Amino acid sequence: MQLSDKKATLSFSDGSAPIEFPVYKGTVGPDVIDIRKLYGQTDMFTYDPGFLSTAACESGITYIDGDKGELLYRGYPIDQLAQSCDFLDICYLILNGELPDGNQKQEFDSLVTNHTMVHEQLRIFLQGFRRDAHPMAVLTGLVGALSAFYHDSTDITNPHHRHVSAIRLIAKMPTLVAMAYKHSQGQPFIYPKNDLSYTGNFLRMMFATPCEDYKVNEVVERALDRIFILHADHEQNASTSTVRLCGSSGTNPFAAIAAGVACLWGPAHGGANEACLQMLEELQANGGIEKVGEFMEKVKDKNSGVRLMGFGHRVYKNYDPRAKLMQETCKEVLAALGLENDPLFKLAMELERIALEDPYFVQRKLYPNVDFYSGIVQRAIGIPTSLFTAIFALARTVGWIAQWNEMLSDPDYKIGRPRQLYTGQQSREVPSKR
Ligand code: ACO
């Protein structure tokens, strides 16, 4: 961290002496006021529910400029990465800080490919879930269960163990997601195939059956790979912060990532793509484009409790750059699959058009986020809506594990322990006769 020349002074209205705090500069983005000594010096905490103004860590992985609509992985803009890299390049970059050269890529791809199988007993564990269980319920359980199978990579103080568990998690997530899907369908599980790409292998595990050969469609493979790239990391969002907080207690990586999966499930976070597609399907069933205006009135009415899913973001207050790329992919996939006239895509475009002109959305700086189009792409590929968030979890695993590793490698790391403003009862006696 680089100390700034600037200092911050906190003064009080009751005449107590003002206190000075150091200010640190980031490479880009807002500076931070270091308030670590605040409590010791003033007996006061800061109050910031939802972390609207609080940096909880120092990180060098991902940077978002919400006003510019910019997203960088290790300094590289997301649009450039999405045009010229595959998902495993991105995994290498996020984990190691640099893009791989030819040899590094070969080595890394082969390492991941050779860890895609899961312990055979995990299949027995999977049988315990109801067929109609939500895939995120199954995935949370399966990822947590990995810690019961891979004891040889759970020493978090050992960098080699941390590396092995990172590779295991990245490699096994597609297998687990496909297993959860096959279980829900009552179909036999398809084992990984090493001569396919990471994403091609996932598509085969999802959609092949033992009855016939499966040929990976290149457009679909590229589209899904892009979905993975766009979701790989996103700074200190709710699930990443959950992984950090959970991991800060020293728990094993599989348990920490399972906590991230659980957090991602919520509709305000990873569950938004599922909620967005459900919203589009409902709107289509209730009158389609004709009823868009009426629906938008409900969205703007605070009492209706209806939100335009796939719109708005805590950080992006300009267009989400991932949404632009996703819209492009959406057009490509629909054209390749002969679905150019897909009514949900038309509906989404119309909603976006209206929202971008409507003062309600303009004033609040609400723009489409990545989830607005990713659901349409996944649906066209044949991925069921209930699996969307699991796909997101698969892609985000690399970000979670890199952030967890970064935290543990920091010599200053401490267990996370937020404070509170207590407004409950003061100490009182339990009545003697109850
Ligand atoms: N539809 C309608 N109004 C909205 C929406 C929306 N999607 N999002 C925000 N608003 C309004 C709020 O009602 C509020 O209005 P007000 O100032 O008049 O009270 C204002 O915009 C600010 O909204 P907040 O909820 O305070 O903003 P916050 O930063 O806390 O929320 C969030 C961000 C949760 C993403 C929100 O925009 C939302 O619920 N969007 C829909 C769900 C969604 O798409 N989530 C995906 C996020 S991206 C991801 O996880 C990959």
Side-chain angles (χ1 to χ4, degrees):
M1 278 196 289
Q2 197 199 336
L3 204 56
S4 158
D5 298 336
K6 210 165 37 181
K7 283 194 178 353
T9 308
L10 180 64
S11 56
F12 302 89
S13 57
D14 66 355
S16 2
I19 300 178
E20 237 176 37
F21 296 101
V23 173
Y24 291 104
K25 291 164 87 65
T27 352
V28 272
D31 296 346
V32 298
I33 303 169
D34 179 355
I35 54 152
R36 279 176 289 184
K37 299 213 166 101
L38 176 77
Y39 177 53
Q41 293 182 348
T42 64
D43 216 19
M44 273 191 238
F45 300 137
T46 53
Y47 181 63
D48 186 18
F51 295 97
L52 295 177
S53 299
T54 298
C57 64
E58 182 188 351
S59 182
I61 301 175
T62 298
Y63 174 73
I64 304 170
D65 186 324
D67 292 324
K68 274 201 224 157
E70 181 179 66
L71 167 63
L72 310 176
Y73 292 164
R74 300 286 191 182
Y76 294 114
I78 190 66
D79 48 336
Q80 290 179 26
L81 291 171
Q83 311 290 352
S84 50
C85 298
D86 67 21
F87 179 62
L88 285 185
D89 290 328
I90 301 298
C91 290
Y92 186 97
L93 171 69
I94 287 178
L95 290 174
N96 301 299
E98 295 299 335
L99 283 164
D101 63 23
N103 287 340
Q104 288 164 333
K105 174 158 182 61
Q106 220 177 359
E107 225 175 88
F108 184 75
D109 286 10
S110 141
L111 192 63
V112 172
T113 306
N114 285 294
H115 279 85
T116 46
M117 287 215 329
V118 294
H119 197 289
E120 200 58 17
Q121 269 184 286
L122 265 168
R123 291 180 60 192
I124 304 169
F125 180 69
L126 179 66
Q127 297 306 320
F129 286 95
R130 282 172 58 126
R131 280 263 312 277
D132 60 356
H134 193 284
M136 286 301 278
V138 177
L139 198 62
T140 312
L142 289 181
V143 174
L146 290 179
S147 50
F149 289 92
Y150 301 101
H151 299 134
D152 58 339
S153 63
T154 52
D155 176 3
I156 62 152
T157 61
N158 181 330
H160 177 63
H161 277 216
R162 299 211 295 268
H163 176 64
V164 173
S165 52
I167 298 296
R168 280 184 168 151
L169 274 156
I170 293 165
K172 294 183 198 310
M173 277 304 260
T175 316
L176 297 180
V177 174
M179 277 168 77
Y181 174 61
K182 288 296 193 192
H183 180 68
S184 73
Q185 299 298 298
Q187 284 184 9
F189 169 57
I190 303 291
Y191 286 92
K193 197 156 188 286
N194 285 0
D195 59 0
L196 294 174
S197 72
Y198 182 87
T199 304
N201 181 42
F202 174 63
L203 282 167
R204 184 177 166 277
M205 288 192 291
M206 284 282 295
F207 299 121
T209 65
C211 319
E212 55 190 51
D213 289 340
Y214 178 81
K215 181 142 174 28
V216 177
N217 175 321
E218 279 175 22
V219 176
V220 167
E221 183 182 14
R222 206 170 42 246
L224 193 56
D225 202 69
R226 179 171 276 192
I227 290 182
F228 293 164
I229 291 173
L230 300 184
H231 288 85
D233 194 44
H234 212 229
E235 238 214 31
Q236 308 310 319
N237 55 83
S239 58
T240 302
S241 300
T242 301
V243 169
R244 279 185 177 259
L245 190 59
C246 181
S248 77
S249 71
T251 194
N252 73 74
F254 305 108
I257 302 301
V261 175
C263 177
L264 189 75
W265 192 355
H269 191 11
N273 50 17
E274 185 177 337
C276 180
L277 200 81
Q278 275 161 358
M279 173 193 81
L280 292 173
E281 279 170 344
E282 240 168 72
L283 190 53
Q284 180 63 20
N286 293 319
I289 287 211
E290 308 281 292
K291 296 282 177 182
V292 164
E294 213 175 280
F295 175 72
M296 287 305 239
E297 288 312 310
K298 263 197 230 152
V299 166
K300 292 189 280 180
D301 174 7
K302 285 281 152 59
N303 300 321
S304 73
V306 178
R307 278 202 168 195
L308 182 55
M309 299 312 286
F311 253 74
H313 197 274
R314 172 59 60 80
V315 183
Y316 292 117
K317 298 302 172 196
N318 195 326
Y319 215 94
D320 177 346
R322 302 168 303 169
K324 270 189 195 141
L325 292 157
M326 212 60 254
Q327 196 199 59
E328 194 182 289
T329 297
C330 196
K331 281 187 189 151
E332 198 181 309
V333 168
L334 294 178
L337 300 179
L339 300 168
E340 294 94 335
N341 293 322
D342 180 63
L344 291 199
F345 183 61
K346 290 202 164 147
L347 202 54
M349 297 277 284
E350 181 61 6
L351 283 169
E352 178 179 341
R353 189 191 65 75
I354 294 180
L356 293 182
E357 287 170 2
D358 190 306
Y360 174 94
F361 293 91
V362 176
Q363 278 157 13
R364 289 170 179 77
K365 299 187 176 175
L366 299 170
Y367 295 90
N369 59 53
V370 65
D371 291 327
F372 198 61
Y373 289 105
S374 71
I376 300 173
V377 176
Q378 293 186 63
R379 178 173 162 272
I381 290 175
I383 295 171
T385 316
S386 62
L387 210 73
F388 288 0
T389 316
I391 302 278
F392 188 164
L394 181 173
R396 183 55 58 83
T397 295
V398 63
W400 288 332
I401 198 84
Q403 299 265 357
W404 168 83
N405 204 8
E406 183 183 62
M407 174 185 74
L408 294 178
S409 312
D410 181 347
D412 284 341
Y413 118 82
K414 283 187 174 17
I415 184 169
R417 177 50 170 98
R419 302 297 197 145
Q420 65 174 7
L421 172 66
Y422 178 68
T423 52
Q425 296 282 356
Q426 293 189 359
S427 175
R428 52 183 173 160
E429 302 287 324
V430 176
S432 52
K433 281 205 177 140
R434 299 181 62 236

